Amino acid sequence: PGIHLRITNDSTPRAMEGLLRGQVDCAAVTTPCPVRKSLQETALVSFREILICGSDFHDLAAETQSLRDLENIPFVCMSRGTSTYTFYQQLFLKHNLAFHVEMEAGTMDQVLAMVQSNLGVGFYPESMAASALAAGTVFQIRLAEPIPERFVNLIEDTSRPQSVAMKAFKKMLLAPEEIISSPVFFGWFCVCRYGLLCRQSPSACFRSAMMSSGSSRPTDIRIIPSVMPAASRISLGIMVWVMAAACSTN
C-alpha cells in the first residue's frame, strides 16, 4: 500500500547503466555480466539454452553436430552488446571459431520467430522452447560441445541507501524453502498452463513453472495465495515477471 512500482524491460548493458545512474533500485540480468565493485550480485535462478532450427534446417537435427559443422549456417541471436551475444561469442572463440550472426534480434521472442521463419538457427532457453518443440514448429540441434549453464542475477548498487520496500522485495526474492512453514507465507501456490502445482518458495515456484510451461511470459503463470497478504501477492507476481523478462531481453 502506498508503494509505486515501475518495471522496465531492457538489455543487460542498459539495465546496468540505469542502476549506476540511480534510475532503478535493482536489475535482474542474465550472465555473463561484469559487475563493478560498488555493485552486489546475487544469483536468482539458473537456465540452459539449446540450439533450435526451423523446418528448412530440419536435416541438422537428425544427428549430433559440432560448432565447426555449423560454420556456414546462418545464426540468429540477440543484438551485439547484449550478454547473450557476448556469451556465444566467447563460447565460439573458446573453440577457435568465429561467431557469425546473420540476423540480430531485440528480444528472445524475436529470435524464436526468426528461427521459425527459417532465417537461421539460434540458441534459445530450453524451458522457453518446450512448447514450440512440442508443436513441431522448431527442432533441437544436438551439439557435441556442452553449452554452459547461465544465471539470472539480481544486481544492486550497495553505494546507495535501500528503501524499506526494496529490502522487503529482496527478502521475498531470496526467501529460502523453509519460509513456507511460516503462517504468513503458508501456501505459495504456482500454477502454470500445463497444470503444475507446487508449494515452494518464490524462486522455486518460478523455476518449476519455467521448466514445465515452456514459456517465460507472465500470462502463462498465475500465483494463487492461501494466507498470503495482499502486499506479498503483488511482490511475488512482480518477481516472477521481472525474472522472466530478464531471460527474454538479455
Side-chain angles (χ1 to χ4, degrees), residues 2-245:
I3 297 174
H4 178 73
L5 300 167
R6 184 179 178 219
I7 301 175
T8 59
N9 202 356
D10 220 330
S11 65
T12 292
R14 290 184 178 180
M16 296 294 287
E17 184 180 343
L19 185 63
L20 290 169
R21 289 182 177 179
Q23 298 171 336
V24 295
D25 291 312
C26 64
V29 301
T30 54
T31 56
C33 178
V35 177
R36 298 188 184 183
K37 290 184 178 180
S38 62
L39 302 180
Q40 179 176 309
E41 183 178 28
T42 307
L44 296 176
V45 65
S46 63
F47 66 99
R48 288 189 181 277
E49 289 170 306
I50 59 174
L51 185 61
I52 58 174
C53 66
S55 56
D56 285 1
F57 299 95
H58 181 252
D59 290 348
L60 295 174
E63 56 185 33
T64 300
Q65 307 287 338
S66 69
L67 293 177
R68 190 170 296 278
D69 294 334
L70 305 173
E71 270 191 303
N72 298 318
I73 301 298
F75 271 85
V76 175
C77 187
M78 293 289 291
S79 59
R80 190 183 298 269
T82 61
S83 61
T84 296
Y85 188 100
T86 301
F87 178 81
Y88 286 105
Q89 188 178 46
Q90 293 174 350
L91 177 66
F92 275 65
L93 283 174
K94 180 181 176 181
H95 295 282
N96 299 313
L97 297 169
F99 184 45
H100 297 295
V101 176
E102 303 293 333
M103 302 287 292
E104 295 185 14
T107 67
M108 289 305 292
D109 283 345
Q110 291 177 4
V111 170
L112 179 61
M114 290 177 182
V115 169
Q116 290 173 325
S117 299
N118 295 303
L119 297 178
V121 302
F123 292 98
Y124 203 72
E126 186 173 14
S127 57
M128 294 168 62
S131 58
L133 288 168
T137 58
V138 298
F139 307 90
Q140 181 179 355
I141 301 173
R142 301 192 182 279
L143 294 172
E145 300 87 351
I147 305 300
E149 188 176 49
R150 298 179 67 191
F151 293 87
V152 175
N153 289 347
L154 177 71
I155 311 295
E156 306 163 82
D157 188 348
T158 54
S159 67
R160 300 177 188 273
Q162 278 191 343
S163 65
V164 175
M166 178 56 207
K167 289 178 180 178
F169 180 61
K170 180 183 176 182
K171 185 177 180 180
M172 292 189 66
L173 250 104
L174 304 178
E177 301 291 334
E178 299 80 52
I179 203 168
I180 61 172
S181 61
S182 165
V184 176
F185 292 98
F186 176 75
W188 293 92
F189 290 107
C190 182
V191 182
C192 78
R193 60 182 176 177
Y194 286 102
L196 173 72
L197 177 63
C198 58
R199 198 164 83 189
Q200 304 170 342
S201 69
S203 58
C205 279
F206 172 81
R207 187 164 52 248
S208 299
M210 280 279 286
M211 290 177 65
S212 297
S213 69
S215 174
S216 69
R217 295 179 181 178
T219 50
D220 291 334
I221 302 173
R222 290 172 292 161
I223 303 302
I224 302 179
S226 55
V227 193
M228 193 187 303
S232 300
R233 291 201 301 270
I234 294 170
S235 295
L236 179 58
I238 291 169
M239 180 272 291
V240 171
W241 193 92
V242 167
M243 293 170 73

